[in-house]
Amino acid sequence: MGEGRNRATYDATAPMLQTFAILLVFQSVGEVISYALHLPVPGPVLGMILLFGWLVFDDRLLPIIQGTTSELLKHLSLLFVPAGVGIMVHANRIEGEWMPILVALVISTWLAIATTAVVTRVLMRKRTNAPGADAKGEQA
């Protein structure tokens, strides 16, 4: 009786552990690349780019990681708590450097919006020019 309950617990946590292992492998590879090549990009960012590239070309990992990653994304706001604490701890420094921070935020936000607009426009143009596209711009 106890064995069946333990097996059910194992079956429920196995995909989660497998997902964390996959994410940790990609993060570690990103860290190694970042460190070895002295890149100014953090290893976890490189790891997520590598994971994205892997999923683009081979989506066999997707069914394994999809459930756990969806649950993680539901609680993404919790990951901002350390950043909020950091802001509170360094409030004096931020108070002294608020203008460069504000300028950087405004410019980076503007660049992100402009880049998104350009990419969207290019993709929409490709979609409307694609063979088999109807009058609404949707492909048949």
Side-chain angles (χ1 to χ4, degrees):
M1 182 167 140
E3 185 178 323
R5 189 176 78 144
N6 289 341
R7 184 158 184 84
T9 303
Y10 171 76
D11 291 341
T13 58
M16 184 181 296
L17 293 174
Q18 201 172 14
T19 298
F20 285 136
I22 291 167
L23 293 175
L24 186 59
V25 165
F26 277 98
Q27 178 180 348
S28 298
V29 170
E31 287 283 0
V32 168
I33 292 171
S34 178
Y35 182 77
L37 300 177
H38 304 288
L39 298 175
V41 180
V45 173
L46 287 177
M48 287 299 110
I49 292 170
L50 291 170
L51 177 61
F52 175 74
W54 186 285
L55 291 173
V56 166
F57 295 110
D58 182 8
D59 63 352
R60 288 181 291 175
L61 287 179
L62 189 58
I64 298 169
I65 66 173
Q66 192 168 19
T68 303
T69 52
S70 294
E71 288 300 316
L72 284 173
L73 288 174
K74 288 180 186 176
H75 305 290
L76 185 63
S77 61
L78 292 175
L79 298 177
F80 290 101
V81 171
V85 170
I87 288 172
M88 297 304 291
V89 168
H90 297 289
N92 290 336
R93 183 173 181 190
I94 292 171
E95 183 180 334
E97 300 176 16
W98 67 271
M99 183 57 90
I101 293 171
L102 181 65
V103 170
L105 282 172
V106 169
I107 291 173
S108 64
T109 301
W110 183 84
L111 285 172
I113 292 170
T115 302
T116 302
V118 169
V119 169
T120 302
R121 182 171 286 176
V122 168
L123 291 175
M124 289 176 68
R125 193 173 297 142
K126 281 185 179 183
R127 188 172 184 182
T128 56
N129 293 338
D134 63 12
K136 291 182 181 176
E138 297 176 3
Q139 291 184 350

